């Protein structure tokens, strides 16, 4: 979006976002988007974030173009908007993802970008099998809450 506008203040119990933060970081909108999440959530409301996870200590301005953002950076965005970190889940974690692929997260399934232009069926199948063996990206799953007072 060119701007962040989700509705009336204090009007939502829950906001969920899946694999979007890297795009907002890359376009310079991340702080505005997270501030909007905080604005529209009711006191006690929950923000859930699923995001491709970059290695700890990496610069989100550098990793966002590959689809990855560090957990620390996502927490800083949410907490900077006034939300409090509640919990993390490893349900979407993938330790096989090394976070350093030529086309970032789009190298892995379901995109398989490196395999798209291969015309030879056998070579294409081998390429796809290689990346499917790693699986989808390593992702963080985070829960934040807007303070009640």
């Amino acid at each position: 979006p060119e701007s962040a506008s989700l509705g009336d203040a204090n009007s939502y119990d829950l906001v969920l976002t899946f694999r979007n933060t890297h795009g907002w970081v890359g376009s310079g909108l991340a702080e505005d988007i997270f501030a909007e999440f905080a604005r529209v959530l009711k006191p006690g409301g929950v923000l859930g974030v699923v995001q491709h996870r970059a290695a700890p200590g990496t610069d989100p301005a550098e990793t966002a173009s590959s689809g990855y953002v560090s957990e620390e950076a996502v927490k800083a965005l949410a907490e900077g908007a006034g939300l409090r970190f509640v919990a993390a889940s490893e349900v979407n974690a993938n330790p096989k993802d090394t976070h350093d692929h030529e086309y970032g997260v789009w190298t892995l399934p379901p995109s398989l970008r490196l395999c798209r232009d291969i015309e030879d069926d056998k070579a294409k199948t081998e390429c796809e099998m290689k990346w499917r063996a790693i699986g989808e990206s390593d992702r963080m799953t985070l829960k934040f809450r807007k303070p009640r007072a």
Side-chain angles (χ1 to χ4, degrees):
E2 292 181 16
S3 68
S5 179
L6 297 174
D8 295 332
N10 302 313
S11 60
Y12 291 100
D13 295 310
L14 174 68
V15 174
L16 298 173
T17 180
F18 296 87
R19 299 177 290 198
N20 294 305
T21 306
H22 62 279
W24 299 326
V25 168
S27 65
L29 290 172
E31 289 179 0
D32 292 342
I33 298 284
F34 277 81
E36 182 66 4
F37 292 156
R39 187 185 73 78
V40 301
L41 281 169
K42 294 176 183 176
V46 172
L47 169 65
V49 178
V50 176
Q51 172 59 42
H52 310 286
R53 180 176 20 215
T58 54
D59 181 353
E62 293 177 12
T63 61
S65 63
S66 67
Y68 295 98
V69 179
S70 71
E71 193 167 319
E72 299 87 12
V74 174
K75 287 179 179 177
L77 286 165
E79 291 169 353
L83 301 170
R84 293 195 179 132
F85 175 71
V86 175
S89 171
E90 292 299 302
V91 69
N92 291 306
N94 180 357
K96 293 180 184 177
D97 180 4
T98 58
H99 310 122
D100 62 353
H101 314 295
E102 183 176 351
Y103 290 110
V105 300
W106 302 281
T107 302
L108 300 170
S111 296
L112 298 169
R113 186 166 176 193
L114 283 172
C115 307
R116 283 186 193 165
D117 296 330
I118 299 174
E119 292 183 20
D120 178 74
D121 289 341
K122 182 179 179 193
K124 185 173 193 135
T125 298
E126 289 173 359
C127 179
E128 290 175 355
M129 287 175 57
K130 172 186 175 182
W131 297 109
R132 287 186 200 285
I134 294 171
E136 292 192 24
S137 68
D138 176 37
R139 294 184 300 275
M140 66 187 96
T141 303
L142 307 175
K143 179 181 179 180
F144 300 90
R145 187 175 304 278
K146 183 174 179 175
R148 292 199 183 272

